[in-house]
Amino acid sequence: MMEATHPEKGPWAAELVVGDHLIGFFMAQRARLEPFRDPTRGSFLSLSLGDRSGEIDARIWEETETYTYLLEGPQVLKVEGEVERYQDRPQVRILRLRTAEAHEYELMDLQPSTLRDRELMMAELDAAIASVENTHLRALLQSFFEQADFRHQFASAPAAKRIHHAYLGGLLEHVYEILLLSKPLLVLYPDLNADLLTTGILLHDIGKLEEFSWQLTIDYTPRGRLIGHVVLGAELVARAVDSLEGFPPELALELQHLLLSHHGRYEWGAPRRPKTLEAVALHHLEQLDGQVNRFRALLAPAWESGQAWTDYDRLLGRTLYAGGAQDLSIEEEGFSE
């Protein structure tokens, strides 16, 4: 059973079963008015109640005109209801509801979120900063990560709207995983500048703090749509460098190149392709972590349902093998020896 961040969260959506009486906080989405079969009865309100465990369908059968504000978009609600069976699926009949107050819930409970311990991951980042021997790079990192507001934003932000690490805490998780992946690479290739690569890992995606909003749903900000996190991050770092006395221009140039080239290709949104050892290392570390996370997200539904293959993914242009549900042996009828 998952542990809630907020003590008043109430039951998880994925654990509700027919017969349950529930009181708790949920994200209400996709609300719409639907007519009864008997048109003289008017309409009922159909919606989805969700949290980071999943979603469950819900209905408001009476006085629907009171709740038409739910049609305006996602909202956090406190709900009392009963779980019934409808067409062989559980469904919540809402008895009472109200808009939740900000102090009554944590978004990490209500949206898909990292399953890793955020405090542990942040401690790993702090240890990486402490390990940086170059005083200029360490001061630059501290200028960001010693700010309480920055740490809070960094620990809660998603790394994407979709594709990879597209959930709350995804940015922190992505950076944490790249840090761990870099450790054996630094042993294998001692020519790599460990301080520069570590700094690039920690700062390469900070522009995502300005690229995304994640209050009720993950979406792009106007600056995110018009500029993008690669350039936004490079600008943030450039301003921080300018505020530090005596920061070597050549070092600042190499760090800027890391930030601007970490996507690797022009068609992937990189203003420059990698041209240094640290830049190519950062690009491939970032790609490795992002693609493995993406594959896991696509495979998870197939694993849970026992399917051998995922649905076709249009962006990848293929299905993925989930294993277990299909025998790949050729020793079938007509092929066995």
Side-chain angles (χ1 to χ4, degrees):
M1 180 181 296
M2 290 188 293
E3 186 172 335
T5 305
H6 197 287
E8 297 182 18
K9 163 62 184 79
W12 296 108
E15 296 175 356
L16 293 172
V17 296
V18 174
D20 282 353
H21 181 91
L22 64 106
I23 298 177
F25 292 86
F26 300 91
M27 183 78 72
Q29 302 187 76
R30 295 184 291 281
R32 62 190 184 276
L33 285 171
E34 299 188 22
F36 284 104
R37 291 181 181 178
D38 179 357
T40 63
R41 297 181 58 195
S43 301
F44 63 92
L45 199 62
S46 170
L47 64 152
S48 171
L49 297 177
D51 52 34
R52 66 185 169 101
S53 74
E55 296 185 1
I56 186 170
D57 290 336
R59 301 289 186 270
I60 300 174
W61 297 113
E62 300 174 347
E63 299 180 355
T64 52
E65 65 278 0
T66 305
Y67 306 106
T68 52
Y69 65 88
L70 297 175
L71 301 173
E72 298 173 2
Q75 299 177 49
V76 181
L77 304 177
K78 184 174 185 179
V79 174
E80 179 179 3
E82 295 176 347
V83 185
E84 304 173 331
R85 185 180 302 280
Y86 178 72
Q87 295 183 343
D88 293 327
R89 296 178 59 185
Q91 173 181 284
V92 176
R93 177 165 64 93
I94 295 178
L95 304 175
R96 292 192 301 166
L97 67 84
R98 66 169 173 82
T99 302
E101 301 290 339
H103 66 275
E104 294 180 309
Y105 64 88
E106 289 285 347
L107 281 177
M108 296 291 283
D109 291 333
L110 301 178
Q111 292 191 42
S113 306
T114 178
L115 299 179
R116 298 189 187 275
D117 186 318
R118 287 191 295 165
E119 291 186 5
L120 183 151
M121 290 191 289
M122 191 58 80
E124 184 71 28
L125 268 60
D126 289 336
I129 294 170
S131 74
V132 172
E133 297 180 359
N134 183 286
T135 56
H136 302 288
L137 292 175
R138 188 168 67 249
L140 175 64
L141 290 168
Q142 289 170 340
S143 73
F144 287 105
F145 285 92
E146 289 186 353
Q147 298 179 47
D149 288 346
F150 178 88
R151 290 175 71 88
H152 175 74
Q153 293 286 303
F154 196 91
S156 61
K161 182 176 180 179
R162 57 191 182 96
I163 306 297
H164 77 90
H165 297 87
Y167 41 78
L168 300 188
L171 175 59
L172 172 59
E173 181 179 290
H174 182 43
V175 171
Y176 164 78
E177 290 170 351
I178 297 174
L179 273 177
L180 297 189
L181 287 170
S182 73
K183 291 184 177 183
L185 191 70
L186 289 168
V187 174
L188 285 169
Y189 294 97
D191 291 335
L192 280 165
N193 183 326
D195 286 351
L196 185 58
L197 179 58
T198 297
T199 303
I201 291 170
L202 290 166
L203 297 180
H204 79 282
D205 267 351
I206 64 169
K208 291 183 175 181
L209 300 182
E210 295 188 1
E211 182 176 41
F212 295 113
S213 62
W214 56 92
Q215 293 308 304
L216 295 181
T217 57
I218 298 171
D219 204 352
Y220 289 95
T221 64
R223 286 172 61 78
R225 292 183 186 278
L226 294 174
I227 301 175
H229 77 273
V230 174
V231 174
L232 290 172
E235 290 177 346
L236 285 169
V237 171
R239 289 196 294 269
V241 165
D242 288 343
S243 70
L244 297 173
E245 185 176 353
F247 201 102
E250 182 68 23
L251 183 61
L253 183 63
E254 290 190 51
L255 179 58
Q256 281 287 329
H257 176 66
L258 281 181
L259 304 179
L260 293 171
S261 67
H262 77 266
H263 276 197
R265 301 183 185 179
Y266 297 137
E267 62 268 30
W268 292 351
R272 284 292 181 266
R273 292 179 295 180
K275 296 179 181 179
T276 67
L277 194 60
E278 293 74 26
V280 76
L282 174 59
H283 165 59
H284 286 289
L285 287 168
E286 207 246 1
Q287 278 292 301
L288 172 61
D289 183 57
Q291 289 301 308
V292 171
N293 180 271
R294 178 184 185 181
F295 270 51
R296 288 187 75 251
L298 293 171
L299 286 163
W303 288 335
E304 292 173 3
S305 62
Q307 299 297 311
W309 295 90
T310 68
D311 293 335
Y312 180 84
D313 184 80
R314 182 178 57 83
L315 293 177
L316 288 176
R318 57 190 182 272
T319 59
L320 304 180
Y321 178 60
Q326 178 174 309
D327 185 2
L328 295 182
S329 171
I330 64 170
E331 294 182 4
E332 301 174 0
E333 184 177 352
F335 291 93
S336 57
E337 296 181 356

Short mmCIF file of all heavy atoms in Angstrom, two decimals, residues 228-277:
data_model
loop_
_atom_site.label_atom_id
_atom_site.label_comp_id
_atom_site.label_asym_id
_atom_site.label_seq_id
_atom_site.Cartn_x
_atom_site.Cartn_y
_atom_site.Cartn_z
N GLY A 228 11.75 27.38 -24.84
CA GLY A 228 12.18 26.02 -24.56
C GLY A 228 13.22 25.96 -23.47
O GLY A 228 13.97 26.91 -23.22
N HIS A 229 13.28 24.79 -22.81
CA HIS A 229 14.10 24.68 -21.61
C HIS A 229 15.60 24.73 -21.89
O HIS A 229 16.38 25.11 -21.02
CB HIS A 229 13.76 23.39 -20.84
CG HIS A 229 14.34 22.15 -21.44
ND1 HIS A 229 13.70 21.42 -22.42
CD2 HIS A 229 15.50 21.48 -21.20
CE1 HIS A 229 14.43 20.38 -22.75
NE2 HIS A 229 15.53 20.39 -22.02
N VAL A 230 16.03 24.34 -23.08
CA VAL A 230 17.47 24.35 -23.36
C VAL A 230 18.01 25.77 -23.27
O VAL A 230 19.00 26.04 -22.57
CB VAL A 230 17.76 23.73 -24.74
CG1 VAL A 230 19.25 23.87 -25.09
CG2 VAL A 230 17.36 22.25 -24.76
N VAL A 231 17.37 26.69 -23.97
CA VAL A 231 17.82 28.09 -23.96
C VAL A 231 17.50 28.75 -22.62
O VAL A 231 18.32 29.51 -22.08
CB VAL A 231 17.17 28.87 -25.12
CG1 VAL A 231 17.50 30.35 -25.04
CG2 VAL A 231 17.63 28.30 -26.46
N LEU A 232 16.33 28.45 -22.05
CA LEU A 232 15.99 29.02 -20.74
C LEU A 232 17.02 28.64 -19.69
O LEU A 232 17.43 29.47 -18.87
CB LEU A 232 14.60 28.56 -20.32
CG LEU A 232 13.41 29.13 -21.10
CD1 LEU A 232 12.12 28.42 -20.70
CD2 LEU A 232 13.28 30.63 -20.87
N GLY A 233 17.43 27.38 -19.70
CA GLY A 233 18.43 26.92 -18.73
C GLY A 233 19.78 27.59 -18.95
O GLY A 233 20.46 27.98 -17.98
N ALA A 234 20.18 27.72 -20.22
CA ALA A 234 21.45 28.38 -20.52
C ALA A 234 21.43 29.83 -20.05
O ALA A 234 22.43 30.35 -19.54
CB ALA A 234 21.74 28.31 -22.02
N GLU A 235 20.28 30.51 -20.18
CA GLU A 235 20.17 31.89 -19.72
C GLU A 235 20.27 31.97 -18.20
O GLU A 235 20.93 32.87 -17.66
CB GLU A 235 18.84 32.48 -20.19
CG GLU A 235 18.76 32.74 -21.69
CD GLU A 235 17.40 33.25 -22.11
OE1 GLU A 235 16.44 33.16 -21.30
OE2 GLU A 235 17.28 33.75 -23.25
N LEU A 236 19.59 31.05 -17.49
CA LEU A 236 19.66 31.04 -16.03
C LEU A 236 21.10 30.88 -15.55
O LEU A 236 21.56 31.56 -14.63
CB LEU A 236 18.79 29.91 -15.48
CG LEU A 236 17.28 30.11 -15.49
CD1 LEU A 236 16.56 28.81 -15.16
CD2 LEU A 236 16.88 31.20 -14.49
N VAL A 237 21.82 29.94 -16.17
CA VAL A 237 23.20 29.69 -15.76
C VAL A 237 24.09 30.88 -16.12
O VAL A 237 24.98 31.26 -15.33
CB VAL A 237 23.72 28.39 -16.40
CG1 VAL A 237 25.22 28.22 -16.18
CG2 VAL A 237 22.96 27.19 -15.83
N ALA A 238 23.87 31.48 -17.29
CA ALA A 238 24.69 32.63 -17.68
C ALA A 238 24.54 33.78 -16.68
O ALA A 238 25.53 34.43 -16.31
CB ALA A 238 24.29 33.09 -19.08
N ARG A 239 23.31 34.03 -16.23
CA ARG A 239 23.09 35.09 -15.24
C ARG A 239 23.77 34.76 -13.92
O ARG A 239 24.34 35.64 -13.26
CB ARG A 239 21.60 35.33 -15.04
CG ARG A 239 20.91 35.99 -16.23
CD ARG A 239 19.55 36.56 -15.84
NE ARG A 239 18.61 35.51 -15.48
CZ ARG A 239 17.79 34.92 -16.35
NH1 ARG A 239 17.83 35.25 -17.64
NH2 ARG A 239 16.94 33.99 -15.96
N ALA A 240 23.71 33.49 -13.52
CA ALA A 240 24.35 33.09 -12.27
C ALA A 240 25.86 33.22 -12.36
O ALA A 240 26.52 33.66 -11.41
CB ALA A 240 23.95 31.66 -11.92
N VAL A 241 26.43 32.84 -13.49
CA VAL A 241 27.88 32.97 -13.70
C VAL A 241 28.30 34.43 -13.61
O VAL A 241 29.32 34.78 -13.00
CB VAL A 241 28.27 32.35 -15.07
CG1 VAL A 241 29.69 32.79 -15.46
CG2 VAL A 241 28.20 30.83 -15.00
N ASP A 242 27.51 35.31 -14.23
CA ASP A 242 27.84 36.74 -14.21
C ASP A 242 27.83 37.32 -12.79
O ASP A 242 28.52 38.32 -12.51
CB ASP A 242 26.86 37.52 -15.07
CG ASP A 242 27.07 37.29 -16.56
OD1 ASP A 242 28.16 36.80 -16.93
OD2 ASP A 242 26.15 37.59 -17.34
N SER A 243 27.08 36.70 -11.90
CA SER A 243 27.00 37.21 -10.52
C SER A 243 28.15 36.71 -9.65
O SER A 243 28.30 37.18 -8.51
CB SER A 243 25.67 36.79 -9.88
OG SER A 243 25.64 35.38 -9.63
N LEU A 244 28.93 35.76 -10.17
CA LEU A 244 30.04 35.19 -9.39
C LEU A 244 31.35 35.85 -9.81
O LEU A 244 31.73 35.81 -10.98
CB LEU A 244 30.11 33.67 -9.61
CG LEU A 244 28.89 32.87 -9.13
CD1 LEU A 244 29.02 31.41 -9.56
CD2 LEU A 244 28.74 32.96 -7.62
N GLU A 245 32.05 36.41 -8.85
CA GLU A 245 33.29 37.12 -9.14
C GLU A 245 34.39 36.15 -9.57
O GLU A 245 34.61 35.11 -8.94
CB GLU A 245 33.74 37.92 -7.92
CG GLU A 245 34.95 38.79 -8.15
CD GLU A 245 35.30 39.63 -6.94
OE1 GLU A 245 34.52 39.63 -5.97
OE2 GLU A 245 36.36 40.29 -6.97
N GLY A 246 35.06 36.48 -10.66
CA GLY A 246 36.23 35.73 -11.08
C GLY A 246 35.97 34.41 -11.77
O GLY A 246 36.89 33.59 -11.91
N PHE A 247 34.74 34.16 -12.22
CA PHE A 247 34.45 32.89 -12.90
C PHE A 247 35.19 32.88 -14.24
O PHE A 247 35.01 33.76 -15.07
CB PHE A 247 32.95 32.74 -13.14
CG PHE A 247 32.52 31.32 -13.36
CD1 PHE A 247 31.91 30.59 -12.34
CD2 PHE A 247 32.71 30.70 -14.59
CE1 PHE A 247 31.51 29.27 -12.54
CE2 PHE A 247 32.32 29.39 -14.81
CZ PHE A 247 31.72 28.67 -13.78
N PRO A 248 36.03 31.86 -14.49
CA PRO A 248 36.85 31.83 -15.71
C PRO A 248 36.00 31.80 -16.98
O PRO A 248 35.12 30.93 -17.11
CB PRO A 248 37.66 30.53 -15.56
CG PRO A 248 37.64 30.25 -14.10
CD PRO A 248 36.32 30.72 -13.60
N PRO A 249 36.21 32.70 -17.92
CA PRO A 249 35.41 32.74 -19.16
C PRO A 249 35.45 31.43 -19.94
O PRO A 249 34.44 31.00 -20.50
CB PRO A 249 36.04 33.89 -19.94
CG PRO A 249 36.67 34.76 -18.91
CD PRO A 249 37.16 33.81 -17.85
N GLU A 250 36.63 30.79 -20.01
CA GLU A 250 36.74 29.54 -20.76
C GLU A 250 35.90 28.43 -20.13
O GLU A 250 35.24 27.64 -20.83
CB GLU A 250 38.21 29.10 -20.82
CG GLU A 250 38.45 27.83 -21.62
CD GLU A 250 38.20 28.00 -23.11
OE1 GLU A 250 38.26 29.15 -23.59
OE2 GLU A 250 37.95 26.98 -23.79
N LEU A 251 35.89 28.38 -18.81
CA LEU A 251 35.08 27.39 -18.10
C LEU A 251 33.59 27.66 -18.32
O LEU A 251 32.80 26.73 -18.53
CB LEU A 251 35.41 27.42 -16.61
CG LEU A 251 34.71 26.39 -15.72
CD1 LEU A 251 35.05 24.96 -16.15
CD2 LEU A 251 35.09 26.61 -14.26
N ALA A 252 33.21 28.94 -18.29
CA ALA A 252 31.81 29.30 -18.54
C ALA A 252 31.40 28.90 -19.95
O ALA A 252 30.28 28.43 -20.17
CB ALA A 252 31.62 30.80 -18.34
N LEU A 253 32.30 29.07 -20.91
CA LEU A 253 32.01 28.71 -22.30
C LEU A 253 31.80 27.21 -22.44
O LEU A 253 30.86 26.75 -23.11
CB LEU A 253 33.17 29.18 -23.19
CG LEU A 253 33.00 28.94 -24.69
CD1 LEU A 253 31.81 29.73 -25.23
CD2 LEU A 253 34.29 29.34 -25.42
N GLU A 254 32.65 26.42 -21.82
CA GLU A 254 32.51 24.96 -21.91
C GLU A 254 31.21 24.50 -21.25
O GLU A 254 30.55 23.58 -21.74
CB GLU A 254 33.71 24.28 -21.26
CG GLU A 254 35.01 24.43 -22.04
CD GLU A 254 36.11 23.55 -21.48
OE1 GLU A 254 35.87 22.34 -21.30
OE2 GLU A 254 37.21 24.08 -21.20
N LEU A 255 30.85 25.11 -20.12
CA LEU A 255 29.61 24.74 -19.45
C LEU A 255 28.40 25.12 -20.30
O LEU A 255 27.44 24.34 -20.42
CB LEU A 255 29.53 25.43 -18.08
CG LEU A 255 28.27 25.16 -17.26
CD1 LEU A 255 28.07 23.66 -17.01
CD2 LEU A 255 28.31 25.92 -15.94
N GLN A 256 28.43 26.31 -20.89
CA GLN A 256 27.34 26.72 -21.77
C GLN A 256 27.18 25.73 -22.93
O GLN A 256 26.05 25.39 -23.33
CB GLN A 256 27.58 28.13 -22.32
CG GLN A 256 27.26 29.24 -21.34
CD GLN A 256 25.76 29.42 -21.16
OE1 GLN A 256 24.97 29.19 -22.05
NE2 GLN A 256 25.38 29.83 -19.96
N HIS A 257 28.29 25.26 -23.46
CA HIS A 257 28.21 24.29 -24.55
C HIS A 257 27.54 23.00 -24.09
O HIS A 257 26.73 22.41 -24.83
CB HIS A 257 29.61 23.98 -25.10
CG HIS A 257 29.59 22.93 -26.16
ND1 HIS A 257 28.99 23.11 -27.38
CD2 HIS A 257 30.08 21.65 -26.16
CE1 HIS A 257 29.10 22.00 -28.10
NE2 HIS A 257 29.76 21.11 -27.38
N LEU A 258 27.84 22.56 -22.89
CA LEU A 258 27.18 21.37 -22.34
C LEU A 258 25.66 21.56 -22.32
O LEU A 258 24.90 20.66 -22.72
CB LEU A 258 27.67 21.09 -20.92
CG LEU A 258 29.01 20.41 -20.70
CD1 LEU A 258 29.26 20.23 -19.21
CD2 LEU A 258 29.05 19.07 -21.39
N LEU A 259 25.24 22.70 -21.84
CA LEU A 259 23.80 22.94 -21.71
C LEU A 259 23.12 23.04 -23.07
O LEU A 259 22.01 22.52 -23.26
CB LEU A 259 23.56 24.24 -20.92
CG LEU A 259 24.19 24.31 -19.53
CD1 LEU A 259 23.89 25.65 -18.88
CD2 LEU A 259 23.71 23.18 -18.64
N LEU A 260 23.77 23.69 -24.02
CA LEU A 260 23.15 23.92 -25.33
C LEU A 260 23.22 22.71 -26.26
O LEU A 260 22.49 22.66 -27.24
CB LEU A 260 23.82 25.13 -26.01
CG LEU A 260 23.58 26.47 -25.33
CD1 LEU A 260 24.44 27.55 -25.96
CD2 LEU A 260 22.10 26.87 -25.42
N SER A 261 24.05 21.74 -25.93
CA SER A 261 24.23 20.59 -26.83
C SER A 261 23.69 19.28 -26.25
O SER A 261 23.81 18.25 -26.91
CB SER A 261 25.71 20.41 -27.16
OG SER A 261 26.46 20.02 -26.01
N HIS A 262 23.07 19.31 -25.06
CA HIS A 262 22.76 18.03 -24.42
C HIS A 262 21.67 17.24 -25.14
O HIS A 262 21.56 16.03 -24.93
CB HIS A 262 22.43 18.22 -22.93
CG HIS A 262 21.07 18.77 -22.65
ND1 HIS A 262 20.81 20.11 -22.46
CD2 HIS A 262 19.87 18.15 -22.48
CE1 HIS A 262 19.54 20.30 -22.20
NE2 HIS A 262 18.93 19.13 -22.22
N HIS A 263 20.89 17.86 -26.01
CA HIS A 263 19.93 17.10 -26.81
C HIS A 263 20.58 16.40 -28.00
O HIS A 263 19.95 15.55 -28.63
CB HIS A 263 18.80 18.00 -27.30
CG HIS A 263 17.72 18.18 -26.28
ND1 HIS A 263 16.47 18.67 -26.59
CD2 HIS A 263 17.68 17.95 -24.95
CE1 HIS A 263 15.72 18.72 -25.52
NE2 HIS A 263 16.44 18.29 -24.50
N GLY A 264 21.80 16.76 -28.31
CA GLY A 264 22.59 15.98 -29.24
C GLY A 264 22.43 16.30 -30.71
O GLY A 264 23.40 16.28 -31.46
N ARG A 265 21.21 16.56 -31.17
CA ARG A 265 20.96 16.79 -32.59
C ARG A 265 20.10 18.03 -32.78
O ARG A 265 19.26 18.35 -31.94
CB ARG A 265 20.23 15.59 -33.22
CG ARG A 265 20.97 14.27 -33.12
CD ARG A 265 20.18 13.19 -33.83
NE ARG A 265 20.78 11.87 -33.65
CZ ARG A 265 20.26 10.75 -34.17
NH1 ARG A 265 19.15 10.81 -34.88
NH2 ARG A 265 20.86 9.59 -33.96
N TYR A 266 20.27 18.68 -33.92
CA TYR A 266 19.47 19.85 -34.21
C TYR A 266 17.98 19.51 -34.23
O TYR A 266 17.15 20.26 -33.71
CB TYR A 266 19.86 20.44 -35.57
CG TYR A 266 21.30 20.93 -35.64
CD1 TYR A 266 22.08 20.67 -36.77
CD2 TYR A 266 21.86 21.67 -34.59
CE1 TYR A 266 23.39 21.12 -36.84
CE2 TYR A 266 23.17 22.12 -34.67
CZ TYR A 266 23.94 21.83 -35.79
OH TYR A 266 25.23 22.29 -35.86
N GLU A 267 17.64 18.37 -34.85
CA GLU A 267 16.23 17.99 -34.97
C GLU A 267 15.62 17.60 -33.63
O GLU A 267 14.40 17.46 -33.51
CB GLU A 267 16.05 16.85 -35.99
CG GLU A 267 16.76 15.55 -35.63
CD GLU A 267 18.15 15.45 -36.22
OE1 GLU A 267 18.81 16.51 -36.40
OE2 GLU A 267 18.59 14.33 -36.51
N TRP A 268 16.44 17.39 -32.61
CA TRP A 268 15.95 17.11 -31.26
C TRP A 268 15.95 18.35 -30.38
O TRP A 268 15.76 18.26 -29.16
CB TRP A 268 16.80 16.02 -30.61
CG TRP A 268 16.63 14.66 -31.24
CD1 TRP A 268 15.71 14.29 -32.17
CD2 TRP A 268 17.42 13.50 -30.98
NE1 TRP A 268 15.87 12.97 -32.52
CE2 TRP A 268 16.91 12.45 -31.80
CE3 TRP A 268 18.49 13.22 -30.14
CZ2 TRP A 268 17.44 11.16 -31.80
CZ3 TRP A 268 19.02 11.94 -30.13
CH2 TRP A 268 18.50 10.93 -30.96
N GLY A 269 16.20 19.52 -30.99
CA GLY A 269 16.13 20.76 -30.23
C GLY A 269 17.44 21.25 -29.67
O GLY A 269 17.45 22.12 -28.79
N ALA A 270 18.56 20.72 -30.16
CA ALA A 270 19.87 21.18 -29.67
C ALA A 270 20.36 22.33 -30.54
O ALA A 270 20.54 22.16 -31.75
CB ALA A 270 20.88 20.03 -29.73
N PRO A 271 20.63 23.50 -29.96
CA PRO A 271 21.20 24.60 -30.74
C PRO A 271 22.59 24.27 -31.29
O PRO A 271 23.00 24.80 -32.32
CB PRO A 271 21.26 25.76 -29.74
CG PRO A 271 20.22 25.44 -28.72
CD PRO A 271 20.26 23.94 -28.60
N ARG A 272 23.31 23.41 -30.57
CA ARG A 272 24.63 22.95 -31.02
C ARG A 272 24.76 21.45 -30.75
O ARG A 272 24.20 20.93 -29.78
CB ARG A 272 25.76 23.70 -30.28
CG ARG A 272 25.97 25.11 -30.80
CD ARG A 272 26.53 25.09 -32.21
NE ARG A 272 26.76 26.43 -32.72
CZ ARG A 272 25.88 27.10 -33.46
NH1 ARG A 272 24.69 26.57 -33.72
NH2 ARG A 272 26.18 28.30 -33.93
N ARG A 273 25.50 20.76 -31.61
CA ARG A 273 25.80 19.35 -31.38
C ARG A 273 27.02 19.24 -30.47
O ARG A 273 27.85 20.14 -30.43
CB ARG A 273 26.04 18.64 -32.70
CG ARG A 273 24.79 18.52 -33.57
CD ARG A 273 25.08 17.84 -34.89
NE ARG A 273 25.97 18.63 -35.72
CZ ARG A 273 26.37 18.26 -36.94
NH1 ARG A 273 25.97 17.11 -37.44
NH2 ARG A 273 27.18 19.03 -37.64
N PRO A 274 27.15 18.13 -29.72
CA PRO A 274 28.28 17.99 -28.79
C PRO A 274 29.63 18.08 -29.50
O PRO A 274 29.85 17.41 -30.52
CB PRO A 274 28.06 16.60 -28.18
CG PRO A 274 26.59 16.36 -28.32
CD PRO A 274 26.21 17.00 -29.61
N LYS A 275 30.53 18.87 -28.94
CA LYS A 275 31.86 19.06 -29.52
C LYS A 275 32.98 18.90 -28.48
O LYS A 275 34.13 19.22 -28.77
CB LYS A 275 31.95 20.43 -30.18
CG LYS A 275 30.99 20.59 -31.36
CD LYS A 275 31.07 21.97 -31.99
CE LYS A 275 30.08 22.09 -33.15
NZ LYS A 275 30.11 23.44 -33.78
N THR A 276 32.63 18.42 -27.29
CA THR A 276 33.64 18.14 -26.28
C THR A 276 33.36 16.75 -25.70
O THR A 276 32.26 16.21 -25.86
CB THR A 276 33.62 19.17 -25.14
OG1 THR A 276 32.39 19.05 -24.40
CG2 THR A 276 33.76 20.59 -25.67
N LEU A 277 34.34 16.21 -25.02
CA LEU A 277 34.18 14.89 -24.42
C LEU A 277 33.05 14.90 -23.38
O LEU A 277 32.22 13.98 -23.34
CB LEU A 277 35.50 14.47 -23.76
CG LEU A 277 35.66 13.00 -23.37
CD1 LEU A 277 35.53 12.08 -24.58
CD2 LEU A 277 37.02 12.79 -22.68
#
